[in-house]
Amino acid sequence: MEARSITAEIPMAPRMADDPLELVPELAEVSAALFKATGNRSVPRATISLVQLRAGQIVGSTYLTVLHTGFLRKAGETEDRITAVSSWQDAPYFTGAERAALALVEAVLQPSAHGERVSDELYALVAEHYDDKALATLMIAIGQVNFFIPIALIAKPVPGRSFTDPWK
Protein backbone atom coordinates (compact mmCIF):
# COMPACT_ATOMS: atom_id res chain seq x y z
CA MET A 1 0.00 0.00 0.00
CA GLU A 2 1.32 3.39 -0.97
CA ALA A 3 1.67 5.98 1.79
CA ARG A 4 -0.45 9.11 1.48
CA SER A 5 1.39 12.39 1.12
CA ILE A 6 1.22 14.52 4.25
CA THR A 7 -0.14 17.35 2.11
CA ALA A 8 -2.95 15.28 0.59
CA GLU A 9 -6.43 16.34 1.60
CA ILE A 10 -8.43 13.85 3.63
CA PRO A 11 -11.84 13.03 2.13
CA MET A 12 -14.95 13.94 4.15
CA ALA A 13 -16.49 10.53 3.70
CA PRO A 14 -16.25 7.43 5.86
CA ARG A 15 -13.92 4.70 4.68
CA MET A 16 -16.63 2.15 5.30
CA ALA A 17 -19.84 3.13 3.53
CA ASP A 18 -22.23 1.21 5.79
CA ASP A 19 -22.83 2.00 9.43
CA PRO A 20 -21.51 -0.91 11.54
CA LEU A 21 -24.60 -0.51 13.73
CA GLU A 22 -26.82 -1.29 10.75
CA LEU A 23 -24.63 -4.25 9.80
CA VAL A 24 -24.44 -5.58 13.37
CA PRO A 25 -27.52 -4.26 15.21
CA GLU A 26 -26.46 -6.03 18.42
CA LEU A 27 -23.86 -3.27 18.76
CA ALA A 28 -26.59 -0.88 19.93
CA GLU A 29 -27.22 -2.99 23.03
CA VAL A 30 -23.53 -3.14 23.91
CA SER A 31 -23.12 0.60 23.35
CA ALA A 32 -26.15 1.45 25.49
CA ALA A 33 -24.96 -0.82 28.30
CA LEU A 34 -21.50 0.76 28.34
CA PHE A 35 -22.97 4.28 28.34
CA LYS A 36 -25.31 3.35 31.19
CA ALA A 37 -22.46 1.79 33.19
CA THR A 38 -20.29 4.90 32.87
CA GLY A 39 -23.24 7.14 33.77
CA ASN A 40 -23.67 5.75 37.28
CA ARG A 41 -22.45 9.09 38.74
CA SER A 42 -19.57 7.60 40.70
CA VAL A 43 -17.19 9.51 38.39
CA PRO A 44 -18.08 12.96 37.06
CA ARG A 45 -19.15 12.85 33.41
CA ALA A 46 -16.54 15.55 32.67
CA THR A 47 -13.77 13.28 33.96
CA ILE A 48 -15.00 10.41 31.80
CA SER A 49 -15.09 12.70 28.75
CA LEU A 50 -11.58 14.02 29.51
CA VAL A 51 -10.30 10.44 29.72
CA GLN A 52 -12.04 9.46 26.50
CA LEU A 53 -10.75 12.57 24.71
CA ARG A 54 -7.22 11.67 25.80
CA ALA A 55 -7.74 8.13 24.48
CA GLY A 56 -8.76 9.50 21.09
CA GLN A 57 -5.68 11.70 21.03
CA ILE A 58 -3.35 8.84 21.99
CA VAL A 59 -4.61 6.52 19.26
CA GLY A 60 -4.66 9.31 16.68
CA SER A 61 -8.39 9.25 15.93
CA THR A 62 -9.72 12.56 14.69
CA TYR A 63 -13.26 11.22 14.94
CA LEU A 64 -12.95 10.35 18.65
CA THR A 65 -11.04 13.54 19.41
CA VAL A 66 -13.67 15.74 17.77
CA LEU A 67 -16.52 13.70 19.31
CA HIS A 68 -15.26 13.98 22.89
CA THR A 69 -14.23 17.60 22.44
CA GLY A 70 -17.81 18.30 21.40
CA PHE A 71 -19.20 16.46 24.42
CA LEU A 72 -16.97 18.52 26.71
CA ARG A 73 -18.02 21.79 25.06
CA LYS A 74 -21.70 20.88 25.38
CA ALA A 75 -21.09 20.13 29.06
CA GLY A 76 -19.70 23.65 29.51
CA GLU A 77 -16.01 22.81 29.83
CA THR A 78 -13.63 25.69 29.12
CA GLU A 79 -11.55 25.78 25.96
CA ASP A 80 -8.43 25.95 28.14
CA ARG A 81 -9.22 22.62 29.81
CA ILE A 82 -10.22 20.95 26.56
CA THR A 83 -7.14 22.17 24.71
CA ALA A 84 -4.81 21.24 27.56
CA VAL A 85 -5.86 17.57 27.69
CA SER A 86 -3.06 16.68 25.27
CA SER A 87 -0.51 18.25 27.62
CA TRP A 88 -2.29 17.71 30.93
CA GLN A 89 0.90 16.84 32.84
CA ASP A 90 2.00 20.47 32.98
CA ALA A 91 -1.39 22.19 32.70
CA PRO A 92 -2.84 23.91 35.80
CA TYR A 93 -6.46 23.16 34.88
CA PHE A 94 -7.00 19.68 36.26
CA THR A 95 -7.77 18.33 39.72
CA GLY A 96 -5.71 15.59 41.33
CA ALA A 97 -8.50 13.10 40.58
CA GLU A 98 -8.63 14.13 36.92
CA ARG A 99 -4.83 13.87 36.68
CA ALA A 100 -4.96 10.37 38.15
CA ALA A 101 -7.63 9.35 35.62
CA LEU A 102 -5.65 10.83 32.71
CA ALA A 103 -2.50 9.05 33.89
CA LEU A 104 -4.48 5.80 34.05
CA VAL A 105 -5.78 6.02 30.47
CA GLU A 106 -2.29 6.84 29.23
CA ALA A 107 -0.85 3.86 31.08
CA VAL A 108 -3.46 1.53 29.62
CA LEU A 109 -3.01 2.76 26.04
CA GLN A 110 0.73 3.31 25.84
CA PRO A 111 3.40 0.65 26.06
CA SER A 112 5.70 0.87 29.05
CA ALA A 113 9.45 0.48 28.75
CA HIS A 114 9.60 -0.27 32.47
CA GLY A 115 7.35 -3.28 32.96
CA GLU A 116 3.63 -3.45 33.36
CA ARG A 117 1.57 -0.57 32.05
CA VAL A 118 -0.42 0.09 35.22
CA SER A 119 2.08 -0.07 38.03
CA ASP A 120 1.16 -0.68 41.66
CA GLU A 121 2.16 2.93 42.33
CA LEU A 122 -0.22 4.29 39.69
CA TYR A 123 -3.02 2.06 40.93
CA ALA A 124 -2.47 3.31 44.48
CA LEU A 125 -2.48 6.92 43.27
CA VAL A 126 -5.76 6.43 41.40
CA ALA A 127 -7.25 4.59 44.40
CA GLU A 128 -6.46 7.63 46.58
CA HIS A 129 -8.93 9.63 44.47
CA TYR A 130 -11.59 7.03 43.60
CA ASP A 131 -13.44 4.47 45.69
CA ASP A 132 -13.89 0.94 44.35
CA LYS A 133 -17.08 1.69 42.40
CA ALA A 134 -15.59 4.82 40.84
CA LEU A 135 -12.39 2.96 39.95
CA ALA A 136 -14.44 0.21 38.31
CA THR A 137 -16.38 2.91 36.43
CA LEU A 138 -13.12 4.46 35.21
CA MET A 139 -12.00 1.04 33.97
CA ILE A 140 -15.31 0.67 32.11
CA ALA A 141 -14.99 4.20 30.66
CA ILE A 142 -11.53 3.34 29.32
CA GLY A 143 -12.91 0.05 28.02
CA GLN A 144 -15.85 1.88 26.44
CA VAL A 145 -13.65 4.15 24.35
CA ASN A 146 -11.33 1.23 23.59
CA PHE A 147 -14.34 -0.73 22.33
CA PHE A 148 -14.95 1.98 19.71
CA ILE A 149 -11.31 2.62 18.74
CA PRO A 150 -11.28 -0.11 16.05
CA ILE A 151 -14.47 1.29 14.52
CA ALA A 152 -12.99 4.80 14.53
CA LEU A 153 -9.64 3.73 13.06
CA ILE A 154 -10.83 1.11 10.58
CA ALA A 155 -14.20 2.41 9.34
CA LYS A 156 -13.21 6.10 9.77
CA PRO A 157 -16.56 7.77 10.47
CA VAL A 158 -16.67 11.43 9.48
CA PRO A 159 -15.44 13.72 12.28
CA GLY A 160 -17.82 16.41 13.42
CA ARG A 161 -20.99 14.73 12.26
CA SER A 162 -23.67 13.74 14.71
CA PHE A 163 -22.66 10.93 17.06
CA THR A 164 -25.72 9.06 15.85
CA ASP A 165 -25.11 9.65 12.15
CA PRO A 166 -21.42 9.82 11.17
CA TRP A 167 -21.91 7.54 8.14
CA LYS A 168 -23.97 9.71 5.80
Side-chain angles (χ1 to χ4, degrees):
M1 176 182 276
E2 194 172 314
R4 180 185 333 206
S5 164
I6 61 169
T7 59
E9 290 189 26
I10 306 298
M12 283 297 283
R15 179 182 289 154
M16 185 175 192
D18 295 318
D19 183 344
L21 184 58
E22 291 175 10
L23 298 171
V24 184
E26 298 84 358
L27 178 62
E29 217 176 303
V30 174
S31 179
L34 288 169
F35 188 78
K36 183 178 178 182
T38 61
N40 67 27
R41 297 194 176 129
S42 65
V43 177
R45 179 49 74 186
T47 302
I48 290 170
S49 290
L50 291 169
V51 163
Q52 292 179 337
L53 169 58
R54 187 66 188 123
Q57 292 170 340
I58 291 167
V59 301
S61 170
T62 301
Y63 175 75
L64 290 173
T65 300
V66 170
L67 177 70
H68 291 291
T69 296
F71 287 163
L72 286 161
R73 282 188 181 122
K74 284 180 186 172
E77 285 297 329
T78 67
E79 287 301 312
D80 289 344
R81 278 174 48 89
I82 294 169
T83 303
V85 168
S86 64
S87 59
W88 65 268
Q89 297 91 338
D90 67 349
Y93 308 115
F94 304 104
T95 67
E98 290 167 337
R99 290 175 176 287
L102 289 165
L104 186 62
V105 72
E106 285 191 359
V108 169
L109 290 176
Q110 296 175 328
S112 173
H114 307 293
E116 65 183 324
R117 292 181 187 209
V118 179
S119 66
D120 290 342
E121 293 79 16
L122 176 56
Y123 181 87
L125 174 71
V126 175
E128 286 176 20
H129 294 279
Y130 297 98
D131 64 21
D132 288 345
K133 181 176 181 177
L135 185 51
T137 301
L138 267 178
M139 289 186 286
I140 293 166
I142 293 168
Q144 178 186 29
V145 73
N146 278 303
F147 182 82
F148 290 101
I149 285 172
I151 295 171
L153 296 178
I154 297 167
K156 291 190 84 164
V158 177
R161 293 212 180 138
S162 166
F163 174 63
T164 57
D165 196 20
W167 304 99
K168 305 295 180 218

